[in-house]
Amino acid sequence: MTRPSLKSWADAAPRLIAVAVGRESADMVIRQGIWVNVQSRELLPNHDIAIADGRIAYVGPDAGHCIGDRTQVIEADGRYMLPGLCDGHMHIESGMLTPAEFARAVIPHGTTTMFTDPHEIANVLGLEGVRLMHDEALLQPVNIYTQMPSCAPSAPGLETTGFEITAEDVAEAMAWPGIIGLGEMMNFPGVVAGDRQMLAEMAATQAAGKTVGGHYASPDLGPAFHAYAAGGPADDHEGTKESDAVARVRQGMRAMLRLGSAWYDVESQITAVTEKGLDPRNFILCTDDCHSGTLVNEGHMNRVVRHAIECGCDPLVALQMATVNTAAHFGLERELGSIAPGRRADVILSSDLRALPIEMVIARGKVVAEDGKIQVDCPHIDWPEAARASVRLGKPLAAEDFEIAAPEGANHVRARVIGVIENQAPTKALSADLPVSEGLVEATGEICQIALVERHRGTGGVTNAFVQGFGYEGPMAMASTVAHDSHHMIVVGTDRAQMALAANRLAEVGGGVVLFADGEEKALVELPIAGLMSDDLAQSVATKAEALGEAMRAAGCTLNNAYMQHSLLALVVIPELRISDKGLVDVTRFEVVPVIEEVLT
């Protein structure tokens, strides 16, 4: 399968010049729209756009001289003509879709450029998994750039991944055609400590002239934060409040404000621009993680831009944060992110700059979506069998595998509990007094059991602990092989026998998410590719994901996008308390801690 061809600006320049001056006719002309100029932050009515060889040749009041017999003419009829939207930081795997199906889902929403970090599949399949994502991304009719994952494992010594990414892997990938930089540098303690591998990865990226992605998930804005910034990361999306955004842009980093399926961090940070008056050039909008239901029912980057506007941001400023700011950050300002000569012809037609209905999407000079419907093919690679056989438990699991033994003679214990926070990635480190029955610690009230089941090497290992915040009631269990970032299997439940049922079911289908209640399977989303993705259509996956959400609500969980919270409970680089195959991890200290704190009399 061949990669879509697009001439470079230099190669296309002779024709662009000829079209602009009227010696040759354009391939396409969009007539009489309002030019949303994100370079100058202006709205310019009654303008035309002429396109040739997938690039913009002319933008001006009248492109009549660019029109010939074979020119496709599109009437804007006074609508806004704005640049295609860019997502500055995201993980395709979070949509439960392959790159092809993710592209098919987001193109009708106006997303024409994505900067993706496939570190989920890197943890399962290593460099080969990254290559597969990279290769399928390059086949798409829109721009999907790949950031080489930096941290697999994300916290060495605190988790075990299916594969590890090395500095040599990073250096090799920097020569691949679709690699735009280094994925989020999640091991911020390693950077601060001067870890040789982390520094080598960033050095290889900088030597290639590419961008180092950041991830500083700590409230500490003292010397450690300054040391991290000095290490080289150029952006960060882990801020949750105004002071986080301010600190990052003051240190020369881009503040990436995210609105994903479960992360609502735009409203709390955009006041740095809307109220504090900081220069918006260093602010970028992104999604980070969006599942298929959000993509199908709510949108993608158009949803983020609308939200920023609703939070008080000027529409033109919000659009800059989702177009030219993003392009400039990755060194692509002369390639995309604006409607200007030479740039890729990625254009949206919309009748309302605030509500942002996406009525037509043009990418590389071709109509790719109209009135919410995709108009082009999104090609797939042939995913190898090894990518479809990634769930290895080593043995069938039983209820006994999920028991938490109490210290001998104990009747009550004080245990550490992971506390889920709605709409945020961090958790709380809680404590609870729990009863002991027949030598086993039992979850009570709002507290459930959580287990991490090893699935990469078939060791049969199960780490058990407690979690609070889901609100589950009655005998139930939910299991997922999407378990950021090491992607073992996370099982949460109120009944150990059903926890075993759920885990074994995912081993049977090759990965995904399943919920059991009262001994019956209530919902299943199959994710056979690396246990992370489906190559089915987004609508089909979204329908199954919606059924999962309904099953979670029927089991008592009312959290917004609770599945995303479930999938992050093993993310041992975001405070405060997480679970891994090594045990319970205190992320404020980056050390494994016991589940049971003390025996109570």
Side-chain angles (χ1 to χ4, degrees), residues 204-421:
T205 304
Q206 292 168 320
K210 301 179 187 292
T211 304
V212 177
H215 169 115
Y216 185 79
S218 171
D220 180 5
L221 297 178
F225 169 68
H226 289 261
Y228 183 75
D235 57 62
D236 187 38
H237 56 275
E238 291 296 336
T240 59
K241 53 186 182 296
E242 180 187 279
S243 58
D244 291 334
V246 171
R248 283 152 177 78
V249 298
R250 283 179 177 170
Q251 294 296 316
M253 302 171 76
R254 259 67 173 216
M256 289 189 168
L257 315 184
R258 66 182 169 188
L259 178 72
S261 291
W263 323 136
Y264 286 69
D265 298 321
V266 174
E267 185 174 9
S268 60
Q269 296 184 87
I270 205 164
T271 52
V273 173
T274 60
E275 297 178 12
K276 205 171 184 68
L278 269 62
D279 189 332
R281 289 179 300 171
N282 291 315
F283 291 78
I284 291 171
L285 296 174
C286 70
T287 63
D288 198 357
D289 299 291
C290 272
H291 65 58
S292 55
T294 302
L295 300 178
V296 169
N297 300 316
E298 299 179 47
H300 189 233
M301 283 305 297
N302 57 328
R303 168 178 176 258
V304 186
V305 173
R306 281 197 302 265
H307 177 67
I309 295 168
E310 290 165 359
C311 292
C313 189
D314 179 282
L316 283 174
V317 173
L319 285 168
Q320 286 177 315
M321 293 179 182
T323 56
V324 68
N325 291 10
T326 314
H329 177 56
F330 289 99
L332 295 171
E333 186 179 357
R334 299 282 291 172
E335 184 70 14
L336 51 86
S338 64
I339 297 175
R343 275 63 168 187
R344 298 187 182 193
D346 300 337
V347 181
I348 296 169
L349 295 186
S350 176
S351 56
D352 189 323
L353 211 55
R354 288 184 174 272
L356 209 61
I358 307 298
E359 292 154 359
M360 181 178 286
V361 184
I362 295 162
R364 302 176 191 169
K366 298 183 183 301
V367 176
V368 292
E370 189 169 4
D371 296 327
K373 293 183 172 55
I374 190 83
Q375 301 292 322
V376 292
D377 185 36
C378 295
H380 291 248
I381 61 168
D382 184 14
W383 288 85
E385 185 57 33
R388 298 177 181 271
S390 68
V391 182
R392 308 176 188 90
L393 301 190
K395 65 175 184 178
L397 298 180
E400 293 74 22
D401 292 302
F402 299 93
E403 294 177 348
I404 300 177
E408 188 174 351
N411 292 316
H412 287 82
V413 300
R414 178 160 295 149
R416 289 182 171 86
V417 178
I418 300 171
V420 173
I421 305 173

Side-chain angles (χ1 to χ4, degrees), residues 78-101:
R79 288 178 289 180
Y80 294 97
M81 306 180 298
L82 54 140
L85 302 178
C86 306
D87 192 340
H89 173 75
M90 55 168 286
H91 307 285
I92 284 176
E93 303 98 315
S94 294
M96 302 179 176
L97 304 167
T98 59
E101 291 308 318

Side-chain angles (χ1 to χ4, degrees), residues 34-307:
I34 302 171
W35 177 17
V36 180
N37 193 319
V38 294
Q39 299 279 12
S40 61
R41 204 186 300 163
E42 293 179 285
L43 297 177
L44 302 168
N46 304 315
H47 273 67
D48 295 355
I49 302 171
I51 297 167
D53 289 339
R55 294 183 180 272
I56 295 169
Y58 170 91
V59 190
D62 184 2
H65 64 290
C66 305
I67 297 175
D69 293 340
R70 297 185 178 181
T71 302
Q72 179 182 4
V73 177
I74 295 173
E75 301 293 345
D77 293 326
R79 288 178 289 180
Y80 294 97
M81 306 180 298
L82 54 140
L85 302 178
C86 306
D87 192 340
H89 173 75
M90 55 168 286
H91 307 285
I92 284 176
E93 303 98 315
S94 294
M96 302 179 176
L97 304 167
T98 59
E101 291 308 318
F102 199 101
R104 186 191 304 275
V106 302
I107 287 171
H109 296 306
T111 301
T112 58
T113 301
M114 292 169 265
F115 297 92
T116 72
D117 179 354
H119 72 210
E120 321 304 351
I121 202 168
N123 279 272
V124 180
L125 300 178
L127 187 63
E128 181 58 25
V130 177
R131 189 191 304 274
L132 292 167
M133 295 289 283
H134 166 274
D135 290 353
E136 186 162 292
L138 288 180
L139 297 176
Q140 304 315 309
V142 292
N143 316 306
I144 305 182
Y145 293 96
T146 302
Q147 293 175 286
M148 176 60 196
S150 63
C151 300
S154 59
L158 295 178
E159 63 180 352
T160 307
T161 56
F163 283 83
E164 294 189 5
I165 294 296
T166 67
E168 291 74 22
D169 291 335
V170 170
E172 176 185 336
M174 287 301 136
W176 298 355
I179 295 291
I180 195 67
L182 187 67
E184 56 182 303
M185 179 49 70
M186 304 179 73
N187 186 4
F188 57 89
V191 174
V192 174
D195 180 90
R196 289 185 178 181
Q197 179 177 337
M198 299 301 100
L199 297 185
E201 291 183 5
M202 292 189 290
T205 304
Q206 292 168 320
K210 301 179 187 292
T211 304
V212 177
H215 169 115
Y216 185 79
S218 171
D220 180 5
L221 297 178
F225 169 68
H226 289 261
Y228 183 75
D235 57 62
D236 187 38
H237 56 275
E238 291 296 336
T240 59
K241 53 186 182 296
E242 180 187 279
S243 58
D244 291 334
V246 171
R248 283 152 177 78
V249 298
R250 283 179 177 170
Q251 294 296 316
M253 302 171 76
R254 259 67 173 216
M256 289 189 168
L257 315 184
R258 66 182 169 188
L259 178 72
S261 291
W263 323 136
Y264 286 69
D265 298 321
V266 174
E267 185 174 9
S268 60
Q269 296 184 87
I270 205 164
T271 52
V273 173
T274 60
E275 297 178 12
K276 205 171 184 68
L278 269 62
D279 189 332
R281 289 179 300 171
N282 291 315
F283 291 78
I284 291 171
L285 296 174
C286 70
T287 63
D288 198 357
D289 299 291
C290 272
H291 65 58
S292 55
T294 302
L295 300 178
V296 169
N297 300 316
E298 299 179 47
H300 189 233
M301 283 305 297
N302 57 328
R303 168 178 176 258
V304 186
V305 173
R306 281 197 302 265
H307 177 67

Side-chain angles (χ1 to χ4, degrees), residues 454-469:
E454 198 283 328
R455 67 122 166 158
H456 297 312
R457 293 173 173 80
T459 66
V462 180
T463 301
N464 291 295
F466 297 100
V467 65
Q468 179 177 324

Side-chain angles (χ1 to χ4, degrees), residues 8 83 150 241 256 258 387 408 426 430 445 499 546 564 579 596:
S8 69
S150 63
K241 53 186 182 296
M256 289 189 168
R258 66 182 169 188
E408 188 174 351
L430 306 176
M499 293 174 76
E546 287 167 11
M564 296 296 290
I579 192 170
I596 298 172

Side-chain angles (χ1 to χ4, degrees), residues 465-540:
F466 297 100
V467 65
Q468 179 177 324
F470 287 108
Y472 290 126
E473 299 172 348
M476 61 75 60
M478 189 171 102
S480 171
T481 50
V482 179
H484 303 269
D485 271 331
S486 56
H487 296 292
H488 289 288
M489 182 190 298
I490 293 176
V491 189
V492 172
T494 62
D495 181 87
R496 290 188 283 269
Q498 295 192 69
M499 293 174 76
L501 281 174
N504 291 332
R505 179 64 168 141
L506 291 189
E508 178 185 340
V509 300
V513 193
V514 68
L515 188 144
F516 277 78
D518 300 319
E520 297 181 358
E521 180 179 301
K522 300 296 185 181
L524 172 66
V525 184
E526 301 98 329
L527 303 174
I529 298 177
L532 303 172
M533 298 176 292
S534 169
D535 52 2
D536 203 350
L537 295 173
Q539 181 62 63
S540 175

